[in-house]
């Protein structure tokens, strides 16, 4: 191979080049060369899986399935990426749906931006993806912080634009996680300050502790622990930017989304596990169901915050039933 390699690579080129490098070394030389020489026209279009927002942030997204099928848009939790939806993306794409999932700014493969790490920008970025793909009659599913993103997106963009058919909030943060005089049952600020301190001191260890402990309920007696799930959570977290993650703690804990929930009128499934150690369900899903006009509430006894992964065999068919109902 010849050519001038002195030109700087863009972030998206570097990401895909870096992801491909281990596989290039693992393959015999003839196989690598053959694949390069015989690559189908348009193979480099993987780089088009980004949309640039109005403030110049590159948002990575996945778009699988028939383009004329009903779209389901997935919004991930903190500090993860669209990869956290693997079990749902595969389930729904093989049910005939078009599935779309993006990496929030500062997370995963999206730009490790310095600013805009707040719920307003999260929702605007989601809208940029939706408008870029011109998705209509869509189902929006959000987990944890992604549930807050869904609530703000649907209230501010989705319903006003007539693009949303239904919404699903899973183990989600609204209306407000933080304990305040008007929200006495919320989580004390000291807890979130502890998150910030642990992240700043040793983010790698903090993420390992969260994944191996309360997130999936692996700290419970008799829990069936999966090292693969733990490492995958850690991998996703470490792909993102420390500053975005640090500031994201304020976004998911201190954003009051009561008005967002009240503004939602489309049919909405609200669901959570009763053993959620990250977002207490009595201060989250129970209140969401009361504030959303057209809601259906489903609580799973003993399920953890990360139940979409640990109990996908149960959750996925229930999500499908709501979507098709």
């Amino acid at each position: 191979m010849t050519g001038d390699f002195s030109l700087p690579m863009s972030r998206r080129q570097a990401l895909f080049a870096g992801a491909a490098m281990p596989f290039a070394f693992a393959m015999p030389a003839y196989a690598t060369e053959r694949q390069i020489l015989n690559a189908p026209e348009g193979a480099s279009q993987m780089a088009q899986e980004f949309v640039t927002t109005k403030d110049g942030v590159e948002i990575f997204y996945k778009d699988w399935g028939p383009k004329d099928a009903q779209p389901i848009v997935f919004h991930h939790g903190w500090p993860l990426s669209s990869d956290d939806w693997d079990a749902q993306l595969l389930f729904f794409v093989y049910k005939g749906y078009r599935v779309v999932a993006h990496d929030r700014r500062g997370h995963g493969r999206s730009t490790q931006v310095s600013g805009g790490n707040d719920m307003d920008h999260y929702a605007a970025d989601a809208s940029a993806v939706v408008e870029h793909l011109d998705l209509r009659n869509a189902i929006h599913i959000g987990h944890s912080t992604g549930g807050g993103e869904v609530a703000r997106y649907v209230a501010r963009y989705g319903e006003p634009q007539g693009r949303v058919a239904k919404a699903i909030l899973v183990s989600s943060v609204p209306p407000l996680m933080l304990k305040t005089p008007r929200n006495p049952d919320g989580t004390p600020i000291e807890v979130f300050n502890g998150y910030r301190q642990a992240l700043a001191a040793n983010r790698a260890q903090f993420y390992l502790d969260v994944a191996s402990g309360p997130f999936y309920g692996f700290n419970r007696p008799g829990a069936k622990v999966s090292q693969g799930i733990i490492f995958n959570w850690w991998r996703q977290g470490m792909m993102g930017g420390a500053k975005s993650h640090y500031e994201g703690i304020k976004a998911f804990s201190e954003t009051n989304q009561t008005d967002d929930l009240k503004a939602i009128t489309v049919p909405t499934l609200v669901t959570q596990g009763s053993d959620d150690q990250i977002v207490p369900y009595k201060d989250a899903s129970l209140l969401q169901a009361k504030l959303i006009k057209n809601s259906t509430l489903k609580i799973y006894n003993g399920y953890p915050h990360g139940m979409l992964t640990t109990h996908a065999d149960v959750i996925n068919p229930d999500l499908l039933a709501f979507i098709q109902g």
Side-chain angles (χ1 to χ4, degrees), residues 83-102:
D83 293 353
D84 198 45
W85 289 106
D86 284 353
Q88 285 69 47
L89 294 176
L90 291 174
F91 177 84
F92 283 102
V93 76
Y94 288 114
K95 293 294 183 182
Y97 290 90
R98 179 181 183 179
V99 296
V100 175
H102 68 283

Side-chain angles (χ1 to χ4, degrees), residues 79-87 207-208 211 216 226-239 309:
L80 305 173
S81 74
S82 56
D83 293 353
D84 198 45
W85 289 106
D86 284 353
Y207 287 177
L208 191 61
Y216 295 110
S226 167
Q227 292 301 321
I229 289 175
I230 294 170
F231 293 151
N232 189 44
W233 200 100
W234 183 90
R235 174 191 67 85
Q236 291 178 68
M238 295 305 295
M239 285 174 66
T309 299

Side-chain angles (χ1 to χ4, degrees), residues 72-269:
I72 304 177
V73 185
F74 297 84
H75 305 247
H76 67 80
W78 176 96
L80 305 173
S81 74
S82 56
D83 293 353
D84 198 45
W85 289 106
D86 284 353
Q88 285 69 47
L89 294 176
L90 291 174
F91 177 84
F92 283 102
V93 76
Y94 288 114
K95 293 294 183 182
Y97 290 90
R98 179 181 183 179
V99 296
V100 175
H102 68 283
D103 292 356
R104 185 173 301 117
R105 63 170 56 207
H107 296 62
R109 288 141 290 203
S110 293
T111 305
Q112 290 195 16
V113 63
S114 178
N117 301 301
D118 54 67
M119 205 61 73
D120 285 345
H121 282 86
Y122 295 167
D125 294 348
S127 184
V129 174
V130 170
E131 292 176 47
H132 174 70
L133 298 175
D134 194 24
L135 303 179
R136 299 181 183 277
N137 193 37
I139 314 294
H140 282 264
I141 305 179
H143 174 246
S144 196
T145 301
E149 181 177 292
V150 166
R152 181 139 301 180
Y153 165 78
V154 171
R156 187 166 296 183
Y157 300 95
E159 288 211 52
Q161 295 174 355
R163 293 181 179 273
V164 179
K166 293 181 179 179
I168 300 175
L169 305 180
V170 183
S171 310
S172 297
V173 297
L176 176 63
M177 286 194 71
L178 183 66
K179 181 179 180 179
T180 67
R182 292 188 177 184
N183 187 37
D185 295 326
T187 304
I189 188 65
E190 289 78 12
V191 173
F192 303 115
N193 287 340
Y195 291 172
R196 282 182 272 262
Q197 291 169 5
L199 188 155
N202 189 339
R203 183 167 64 124
Q205 186 61 52
F206 175 48
Y207 287 177
L208 191 61
D209 292 343
V210 172
S212 60
F215 197 92
Y216 295 110
F218 291 156
N219 56 342
R220 295 305 196 199
K224 184 179 179 181
V225 177
S226 167
Q227 292 301 321
I229 289 175
I230 294 170
F231 293 151
N232 189 44
W233 200 100
W234 183 90
R235 174 191 67 85
Q236 291 178 68
M238 295 305 295
M239 285 174 66
K243 186 174 187 293
S244 293
H245 291 177
Y246 187 94
E247 294 177 356
I249 295 171
K250 179 180 179 68
F252 73 66
S253 65
E254 298 183 36
T255 305
N256 191 329
Q257 297 194 256
T258 300
D259 289 342
D260 292 332
L261 297 175
K262 289 180 177 179
I264 297 173
T265 63
V266 296
T268 302
L269 174 64

Side-chain angles (χ1 to χ4, degrees), residues 4-14:
D4 182 3
F5 294 97
S6 63
L7 296 176
M9 300 177 72
S10 70
R11 172 173 170 77
R12 64 180 65 176
Q13 290 171 328

